[in-house]
Amino acid sequence: MGKQQREDLTGQVVIVTGANSGIGKESAVALAAMGATVVMTARNAEKGEAARQEVVERSGNDQVVVGSLDLASFASIRTFAAWFLDGYDRLDVLMNNAGLMVDTQQQTADGFELMFGTNHLGHFLLTDLLRDRLIQSAPSRVIAVSSVAHRWAVGGLDHDDLQSTTRFSGARAYGRSKLANAQFVLELADQLQGTGVTVNAVHPGSIHSGFSVDGDTGALGWWMATFGPYVLRSPKSGAKTQVLLASSTRPRVVGKTGGYWSHGRRWPASRHARNREEARWLWEESSRLVAEVP
């Protein structure tokens, strides 16, 4: 992708979800090094604080804080959003980076299939709660970490079984959650046209990080832990495109919205990820599911 330009983000406020490891932590380091105030989120307070200290040391910027956030719990999401809105009067970048992959059928605290509920619905709710602050802070940016795995959802999202309750497959359910990320970007970008808020999806590449190797998956986790260091990109390399979208003042990035990016450039997503009718259906269904949880 070439040498990444160092931008000046002094005075900007950035949220990076899932920032205690992998590409999330590398994104936090890069953005903090540009002078941004970085709000890292983590489920585990101890791991979050250890990551925060590392980000401060590596970036030379002490304007780094950790907020407690579990995207598998709507209560946690609402608590985090309220805490953030009370403490910060602007939000320049929301990087929806956190995600997980499991190979067994599990549920979130609110009863949703774990990957769909965490990877999509959790970020859907978080973005909605922070939406007005993003608009008030425009020009601002939303980056959603999707994946080439969105192509695993060959037939698109199953309108009759969105929660993958029948014939569960971890890979298929994960692919559906990543397709949901891409469709979310498509619809939100349309809704925010003219507000100064851009919205883009990212495929970071195949990364060797803590993702999926700490017991979340079975055979895949073993493979990644065993062979990942030899065949996969580093988290620092994998974070480059999302950092580019979060910070760049280059004409090829500024103002661009509704795209699917990888390796520093925009690429065509799958036909389902580009289908505005399907994206609108997902948005309406997600709104309904979120509203059903007190």
Side-chain angles (χ1 to χ4, degrees):
M1 189 171 69
K3 188 173 182 180
Q4 192 153 304
Q5 179 180 339
R6 174 66 65 88
E7 304 286 355
D8 183 1
L9 302 186
T10 303
Q12 294 195 22
V13 178
V14 176
I15 292 175
V16 182
T17 68
N20 61 287
S21 64
I23 60 176
K25 182 167 66 176
E26 293 301 330
S27 296
V29 170
L31 296 170
M34 297 177 193
T37 295
V38 178
V39 178
M40 307 169 59
T41 81
R43 288 180 296 173
N44 180 285
E46 185 176 342
K47 290 181 179 179
E49 176 55 25
R52 186 196 71 83
Q53 292 180 17
E54 181 183 341
V55 170
V56 169
E57 291 171 4
R58 291 174 58 192
S59 69
N61 179 359
D62 63 1
Q63 297 302 304
V64 181
V65 299
V66 177
S68 176
L69 175 62
D70 181 357
L71 286 158
S73 164
F74 285 0
S76 174
I77 295 167
R78 292 189 172 105
T79 297
F80 169 81
W83 167 82
F84 177 84
L85 292 171
D86 184 59
Y88 298 88
D89 61 3
R90 66 180 301 111
L91 176 56
D92 299 273
V93 178
L94 172 59
M95 186 177 288
N96 290 331
N97 166 83
L100 82 168
M101 185 181 199
V102 296
D103 62 0
T104 57
Q105 201 161 9
Q106 302 178 44
Q107 292 186 329
T108 68
D110 304 297
F112 301 108
E113 189 279 314
L114 185 60
M115 288 179 282
F116 180 81
T118 302
N119 299 350
H120 168 62
L121 284 181
H123 281 127
F124 177 88
L125 175 58
L126 177 65
T127 306
D128 183 62
L129 294 171
L130 300 176
R131 180 172 176 154
D132 288 346
R133 188 58 48 86
L134 283 161
I135 294 172
Q136 293 163 9
S137 306
S140 53
R141 312 179 188 199
V142 177
I143 296 100
V145 178
S146 180
S147 169
V148 72
H150 80 276
R151 295 182 180 275
W152 299 351
V154 177
L157 298 180
D158 188 339
H159 291 200
D160 298 319
D161 189 23
L162 193 56
Q163 302 293 314
S164 299
T165 56
T166 61
R167 295 174 52 223
F168 180 84
S169 159
R172 182 170 60 239
Y174 178 72
R176 287 174 174 175
S177 77
K178 295 289 100 179
L179 174 58
N181 291 154
Q183 291 185 347
F184 163 79
V185 161
L186 189 67
E187 174 62 22
L188 183 60
D190 281 352
Q191 291 186 18
L192 294 178
Q193 283 284 358
T195 65
V197 183
T198 59
V199 191
N200 288 284
V202 173
H203 165 53
S206 299
I207 308 301
H208 176 60
S209 68
F211 180 72
S212 296
V213 299
D214 59 358
D216 286 341
T217 64
L220 178 60
W222 172 84
W223 187 93
M224 292 181 73
T226 304
F227 300 108
Y230 308 104
V231 300
L232 302 179
R233 302 172 72 201
S234 71
K236 184 175 181 179
S237 176
K240 285 183 177 180
T241 300
Q242 59 205 61
V243 170
L244 177 79
L245 288 171
S247 63
S248 180
T249 56
R250 299 173 184 176
R252 67 188 181 91
V253 174
V254 174
K256 301 300 186 292
T257 192
Y260 175 81
W261 294 65
S262 184
H263 294 78
R265 55 167 286 195
R266 189 166 176 165
W267 300 79
S270 74
R271 63 184 180 87
H272 292 290
R274 293 180 276 117
N275 187 312
R276 281 180 159 76
E277 185 177 336
E278 291 185 24
R280 184 61 193 171
W281 177 86
L282 174 64
W283 188 280
E284 292 173 352
E285 184 67 8
S286 299
S287 297
R288 183 187 69 79
L289 291 171
V290 168
E292 289 181 349
V293 178

